Amino acid sequence: MGDHATSAPAATAHAAHESFAQRLLTGSVKKSYDPVVDLDWDAPLDPDKLFLPPEVISLYGTPLWDAMTPEQRRELSREELANVLSVGIWFENLLNRLLLRELMAGDPTSRHAHYTLTEMGDECRHMMMFGKLIDRIGARPYWPNRFERWTISGLQLVLRGSMVWVGALVGEEIFDAIQRRTLDDPDLQPLVARAMRIHVTEEARHIGFARDALAHRVPTMSRAELHYTRLCVAVAAPLFVYLMTNWHMYARAGVEHGRAARRLARANPHSRRALGLGAANLGAFLDKQGLIGPIGTRIWRRRGLL
């Protein structure tokens, strides 16, 4: 009787987990995109419009920004977009590797596995869309330096179990919140706004999937896994935010003293507020799951993420 009492809630939770994955599969059939055909890559770029909204550009509100001409601001927005898209490509590359590894231990007949494969297909198309967009706006991708490449590759070794889903949420939710501020901006390049709308639509399903998977796992965590997850949460979001400001993008945009510009951007209260807004929903969700902890709270607050 004790075994039955223990297994019944687990069976109910598993059924709900599978039902949610099936709804996501159905949503993917109804609304998915192919960036090759769903974006007009031949449409001309507007010579007067920015590539990111001013309020999400890292130097917005600083004396350096105020001294810039419209042309300099446009060029900085182009390079910042190229950097954001490059970070997105690295992240989605890493996420697909993690998801593929998870499938090795999963049930290939489950709806959860089927949606995992669907999400991987989405991410492959997103990487191609980001690469095409970088090329179309006349920019070059930003490559991680040697230390960052080692860090990104090393994450495959430490992001396991619950941390796969925490890592997915950190990359997806902060990026998603920034993108949502581009959707209806009349001063933004139409091609950029369209690409961001496609990504936001499909990422909404990915975020829901990761949240469901993490919430499903939390009740079964051992104390050791809980502490490990809290430690990883403490550093994951600050690491992702760190990658969003690359000193090379200031140099390419013609801003003198790129490293000094990066320091200014990282201390910029406007930039910190924009990233904080991006992390707000994620922080609330992780806190509800008991996954931030006191160390994470201090680090996230210091970085302006709470």
Side-chain angles (χ1 to χ4, degrees):
M1 184 173 179
D3 290 343
H4 178 74
T6 301
S7 62
T12 301
H14 177 73
H17 193 47
E18 283 286 273
S19 177
F20 185 72
Q22 180 57 57
R23 290 201 301 275
L24 294 175
L25 284 166
T26 302
S28 297
V29 171
K30 291 179 178 178
K31 185 171 275 190
S32 287
Y33 298 92
D34 182 345
V36 173
V37 297
D38 289 319
L39 284 161
D40 184 1
W41 296 105
D42 295 324
L45 298 175
D46 191 310
D48 298 319
K49 291 190 174 182
L50 297 175
F51 296 88
L52 284 172
E55 64 271 16
V56 303
I57 297 174
S58 62
L59 292 176
Y60 175 75
T62 66
L64 185 54
W65 173 265
D66 294 339
M68 286 181 176
T69 65
E71 292 75 18
Q72 289 172 323
R73 292 176 178 178
R74 184 175 184 272
E75 191 58 30
L76 179 59
S77 74
R78 184 206 311 268
E79 294 300 335
E80 290 215 13
L81 175 63
N83 183 64
V84 167
L85 295 173
S86 297
V87 173
I89 291 171
W90 314 340
F91 167 75
E92 295 192 339
N93 182 309
L94 172 63
L95 178 58
N96 267 7
R97 283 182 274 175
L98 296 175
L99 293 176
L100 193 59
R101 189 190 64 205
E102 289 292 299
L103 285 171
M104 293 293 290
D107 176 2
T109 68
S110 70
R111 299 299 179 266
H112 181 86
H114 296 168
Y115 185 73
T116 299
L117 289 165
T118 300
E119 177 170 338
M120 290 173 62
D122 290 344
E123 302 295 21
C124 286
R125 289 189 296 275
H126 294 167
M127 285 186 277
M128 180 174 64
M129 179 172 69
F130 291 169
K132 286 178 69 68
L133 188 54
I134 292 170
D135 181 58
R136 181 65 188 87
I137 66 174
R140 290 176 289 140
Y142 286 85
W143 296 104
N145 62 35
R146 184 178 300 176
F147 173 74
E148 290 165 350
R149 285 197 301 272
W150 287 344
T151 301
I152 292 167
S153 297
L155 286 173
Q156 296 177 79
L157 303 176
V158 299
L159 295 183
R160 294 182 176 274
S162 58
M163 276 310 303
V164 171
W165 307 111
V166 169
L169 288 172
V170 165
E172 288 172 344
E173 294 216 29
I174 296 176
F175 194 35
D176 183 73
I178 293 172
Q179 290 177 112
R180 286 181 181 275
R181 301 178 71 174
T182 72
L183 299 183
D184 300 309
D185 191 327
D187 296 323
L188 198 67
Q189 295 286 347
L191 178 64
V192 175
R194 174 63 175 163
M196 295 302 100
R197 184 168 291 282
I198 287 174
H199 195 245
V200 162
T201 298
E202 296 185 332
E203 285 295 301
R205 293 193 292 265
H206 301 175
I207 290 169
F209 185 59
R211 283 191 173 207
D212 180 72
L214 186 58
H216 183 70
R217 187 178 179 94
V218 165
T220 68
M221 281 185 185
S222 66
R223 181 170 294 183
E225 183 180 5
L226 177 62
H227 287 307
Y228 172 69
T229 303
R230 284 179 172 176
L231 178 63
C232 292
V233 166
V235 300
L239 174 63
F240 187 81
V241 169
Y242 172 86
L243 294 172
M244 300 295 276
T245 48
N246 183 329
W247 75 267
H248 295 282
M249 68 189 186
Y250 303 111
R252 288 190 194 176
V255 178
E256 291 186 4
H257 310 299
R259 286 187 170 87
R262 181 178 62 183
R263 288 194 296 272
L264 181 63
R266 288 180 176 169
N268 180 11
H270 294 280
S271 179
R272 289 168 67 89
R273 192 176 304 116
L275 291 169
L277 289 172
N281 287 336
L282 172 62
F285 173 75
L286 292 175
D287 187 48
K288 182 179 179 181
Q289 300 299 322
L291 296 178
I292 290 189
I295 295 175
T297 299
R298 286 198 298 272
I299 293 175
W300 280 45
R301 281 184 176 154
R302 190 178 306 131
R303 297 292 184 183
L305 300 175
L306 284 178

